[in-house]
Amino acid sequence: MKYISYFLNLNKNQKNIVLSKDKNIVVIAGAGSGKTKILIYRIIWLINKKKINPNSIMIVTFSNKAVNEIKYRIKNILSDKYNNIIIGTFHSILYRMLKIHYKEAGLKNNFQIIDDNYQLRIIKNIIKSLKLKNKLNIEKILKYINISKNKGIRINENYKNLYEENFIFKKIYILYQSECNKLNIIDFSEILIRTYELLNKNINILNLYKKKITNILIDEFQDTNEIQYLIIKLLLHNNDINIMIVGDSDQLIYEWRGAKIENL
C-alpha cells in the first residue's frame, strides 16, 4: 500500500512517535525538525492501521495556509478518506460548531462575523455616545476587548467600580458587547469565548462532541491562548480522547493575541 512506503521517509525518532501506543503525546522540537510531518503521518497511521473513523479525528492549527498544506499532504496519501476529517483553525472549527448550535449559544441563525474595522466603528460610536472629552486610544480599547475575551473574561453589566484605573475600558467593553448582541454579530475572539460558554453550560452538547471525537491533534500548540486551552480541557475532561500536541517554545507567534507558552 502507498502509505507503507510513505513511512520510509521517517527517521527512527519520528517513527517511534508516529507509531506510539501512548494515549497522550507531546512533541516539542525546533524549526525544520518535521513536527508537522509527524502529525500528518500519525493521522495516516490512525486511519489506515488503527482503523480509526476519519470522522472522529480533529486536527487544529493556526492558519489557513497550514490547514491547506495539511489537507493536501493527507489527501495525497488517503485520497477521499480525508474528506471526513475535522480539520481547520480553532476559529473555523468552532465557528462551524456555533452555526450548528446557534440557539443554545444565544445567537440567531444568520449571525455574521465582523472584522477589526467593524469593531473599531462600534467602539468609536460608543465613545461618541458617552460624550467622552478625553482622547482615548481606540486601538488600545480594541486590544483590551479582544485580549479579555481570549482570556475568557466577561464583564458584568452591573459593573460600577468607578475608581478602577481601566474602568472606562470595561464600560466600553460592556456597551460594545451589548451592541454586538443586538446586531447579531460576533468578532473573532467572540467565536472562542462563545463556544467555551456553549460547551461549559450545555452538558448534552459537550457530551455529543466528547462521544464523536476520539483523537485530537494540534499543531503549533505554543500559540494557544487561555480560552483555546480551556476548550480543549473541556473536551478532554473525564473522557477517553487521545491527544497529540506539537509545538516549539521558540516559535511563539501569537503572543499579541494572548498566546501563552505555559500552555505548552
Side-chain angles (χ1 to χ4, degrees):
M1 291 179 69
K2 188 178 181 181
Y3 86 97
I4 294 176
S5 62
Y6 206 57
F7 277 67
L8 297 175
N9 295 324
L10 297 172
N11 63 39
K12 183 179 178 180
N13 288 334
Q14 291 170 336
K15 190 173 181 180
N16 287 340
I17 295 168
V18 169
L19 305 181
S20 173
K21 295 179 181 179
D22 292 337
K23 181 175 171 7
N24 306 311
I25 301 172
V26 180
V27 180
I28 301 177
S33 58
K35 295 189 300 298
T36 303
K37 180 169 75 171
I38 291 170
L39 182 143
I40 291 168
Y41 283 35
R42 177 75 175 179
I43 296 159
I44 295 166
W45 180 75
L46 287 172
I47 294 173
N48 274 342
K49 184 66 176 177
K50 301 297 289 182
K51 305 302 179 185
I52 300 296
N53 186 344
N55 200 35
S56 70
I57 298 174
M58 184 171 83
I59 308 164
V60 188
T61 189
F62 281 84
S63 70
N64 291 324
K65 181 181 178 182
V67 169
N68 291 332
E69 179 190 350
I70 292 172
K71 279 184 178 180
Y72 175 80
R73 292 169 69 178
I74 293 175
K75 184 180 180 181
N76 190 41
I77 302 300
L78 298 178
S79 61
D80 61 340
K81 287 183 184 178
Y82 99 100
N83 289 323
N84 296 323
I85 299 173
I86 304 165
I87 180 169
T89 62
F90 268 101
H91 290 86
S92 66
I93 290 173
L94 300 182
Y95 169 70
R96 280 176 264 169
M97 204 177 286
L98 287 178
K99 291 290 283 185
I100 295 170
H101 307 288
Y102 64 89
K103 286 184 181 178
E104 294 87 347
L107 297 164
K108 296 176 183 176
N109 65 350
N110 60 340
F111 72 88
Q112 301 293 318
I113 299 175
I114 59 173
D115 60 15
D116 288 359
N117 290 330
Y118 202 123
Q119 286 183 276
L120 289 171
R121 250 167 47 209
I122 294 174
I123 293 169
K124 283 180 182 178
N125 289 336
I126 290 171
I127 291 173
K128 187 177 179 181
S129 70
L130 292 174
K131 298 179 180 178
L132 295 171
K133 293 181 180 180
N134 57 317
K135 291 183 179 180
L136 292 171
N137 186 320
I138 61 171
E139 296 283 351
K140 281 188 178 179
I141 296 172
L142 174 62
K143 182 178 179 180
Y144 172 81
I145 292 172
N146 289 337
I147 287 291
S148 295
K149 289 185 178 186
N150 288 333
K151 290 180 178 178
I153 298 172
R154 292 286 198 198
I155 309 296
N156 190 291
E157 60 185 21
N158 295 321
Y159 176 82
K160 293 178 180 178
N161 188 354
L162 297 172
Y163 301 100
E164 190 168 332
E165 185 179 2
N166 60 355
F167 162 76
I168 194 61
F169 279 35
K170 287 183 167 67
K171 178 70 174 175
I172 293 171
Y173 178 4
I174 294 168
L175 294 173
Y176 165 84
Q177 192 55 49
S178 176
E179 183 67 10
C180 288
N181 293 341
K182 190 190 307 179
L183 296 173
N184 195 38
I185 54 179
I186 63 174
D187 54 58
F188 284 97
S189 297
E190 184 69 18
I191 292 174
L192 303 178
I193 191 170
R194 184 80 62 142
T195 305
Y196 172 75
E197 292 167 347
L198 168 72
L199 296 175
N200 196 40
K201 295 176 182 177
N202 295 273
I203 190 65
N204 291 338
I205 295 175
L206 176 60
N207 286 338
L208 176 72
Y209 288 99
K210 281 186 171 185
K211 186 176 179 181
K212 175 182 173 63
I213 300 167
T214 63
N215 286 269
I216 298 176
L217 300 98
I218 306 175
D219 200 11
E220 307 296 354
F221 195 81
Q222 74 277 354
D223 283 320
T224 53
N225 59 35
E226 184 75 15
I227 200 70
Q228 290 164 338
Y229 184 76
L230 290 175
I231 290 168
I232 295 300
K233 281 186 71 175
L234 270 181
L235 290 171
L236 294 176
H237 183 63
N238 289 336
N239 202 14
D240 199 32
I241 290 177
N242 300 289
I243 184 165
M244 176 177 180
I245 64 174
V246 176
D248 176 6
S249 56
D250 292 329
Q251 292 189 68
L252 184 64
I253 296 174
Y254 294 111
E255 194 170 10
W256 58 272
R257 204 170 63 184
K260 290 178 62 179
I261 196 65
E262 292 84 0
N263 291 344
L264 182 60

